[in-house]
Amino acid sequence: MAEDLGKAFMKMNKNPVVLTIDDEQAVRDTICAYLEDYNYTVLAAENGQHGLDILKEYKVDLILVDLRMPELDGLGVLSYTQKEMNETPVIVISGTGEIGDVVKALRLGAWDYLLKPIVDMTILLHAVEKCLERAQLLKINRQNQSNLEDQVNQKTRELTEINSRLKRVVESTKKLLGCGKLDESADLLLQEFA
């Protein structure tokens, strides 16, 4: 049993991890089977509360969530993810085609919205791939921005130090030019270059 769990964690680290949260067993099973065929590791939850429990225990790369579920609905899951893990893509898959639900879901941070039943599963696969690609690009962009900020800060420190040294040279030069004796000039010059 412990070996199986270890293998599952190793597999999760290699493949993108998707959490599907839906109260319909058939929907969960279909999504799991389909995405696993495309080398995704898929975790499943039967309601929003169970989904949040999984999210607190495992790192997932993408969440698929239904809107209408017992205990905690999809909007509750979206509220949580928006506050706690807003960089994780969430795709809503719902049978309610009400525009108000779509607007609420998008305002709460959903990255995409698909209508049930999903007749062509390639639509789901495309949405998953598109969201994961976008998340990866955002992560790379953040890393690049952080690296650039670090480089700017380092160069600013270096330029500040050079500016300080130049000010000292200018001050020494002013003093040197004001000296009437060669001995004083030589001493100041030696101090400056020391």
Side-chain angles (χ1 to χ4, degrees):
M1 181 70 169
E3 268 184 50
D4 293 337
L5 208 55
K7 288 178 185 176
F9 283 114
M10 285 179 62
K11 184 179 178 185
M12 284 173 48
N13 288 334
K14 289 195 309 191
N15 300 330
V17 179
V18 176
L19 170 62
T20 181
I21 307 171
D22 198 303
D23 59 334
E24 297 178 51
Q25 180 73 40
V27 172
R28 289 195 312 271
D29 291 345
T30 301
I31 290 172
C32 287
Y34 185 79
L35 291 178
E36 285 172 350
D37 285 346
Y38 288 90
N39 295 321
Y40 289 93
T41 299
V42 185
L43 305 172
E46 66 273 0
N47 61 56
Q49 186 56 56
H50 184 226
L52 292 185
D53 294 341
I54 291 173
L55 289 173
K56 291 173 185 173
E57 189 172 342
Y58 299 98
K59 184 201 176 309
V60 300
D61 299 301
L62 183 131
I63 302 165
L64 304 171
V65 65
D66 187 15
L67 284 186
R68 306 280 186 249
M69 294 178 290
E71 288 192 47
L72 182 66
D73 65 5
L75 295 175
V77 172
L78 280 165
S79 293
Y80 173 83
T81 58
Q82 184 181 41
K83 292 175 191 167
E84 301 297 326
M85 47 192 315
N86 66 351
E87 296 175 359
T88 302
V90 179
I91 299 174
V92 173
I93 303 176
S94 182
T96 68
E98 297 177 26
I99 193 71
D101 288 339
V102 175
V103 170
K104 285 179 192 173
L106 293 174
R107 283 188 178 155
L108 286 172
W111 289 34
D112 206 342
Y113 194 103
L114 303 176
L115 289 175
K116 279 191 215 174
I118 301 174
V119 179
D120 183 0
M121 292 298 281
T122 59
I123 293 171
L124 172 66
L125 182 63
H126 176 72
V128 166
E129 289 173 347
K130 181 181 70 164
C131 287
L132 287 173
E133 181 181 342
R134 178 179 167 213
Q136 184 64 26
L137 289 173
L138 289 171
K139 180 180 177 182
I140 290 169
N141 187 36
R142 256 188 326 281
Q143 289 171 342
N144 288 339
Q145 182 176 354
S146 177
N147 289 340
L148 285 173
E149 288 172 0
D150 290 345
Q151 289 176 9
V152 165
N153 289 335
Q154 180 181 350
K155 292 297 179 188
T156 300
R157 285 190 300 274
E158 289 172 5
L159 287 173
T160 302
E161 185 178 324
I162 289 170
N163 187 36
S164 176
R165 280 196 238 149
L166 284 174
K167 283 181 181 180
R168 288 194 305 267
V169 168
V170 167
E171 289 301 317
S172 294
T173 305
K174 284 180 184 178
K175 288 179 186 177
L176 185 62
L177 291 175
C179 293
K181 297 181 181 177
L182 185 60
D183 292 340
E184 287 179 28
S185 300
D187 287 342
L188 283 174
L189 249 141
L190 286 172
Q191 288 175 6
E192 183 57 40
F193 289 109

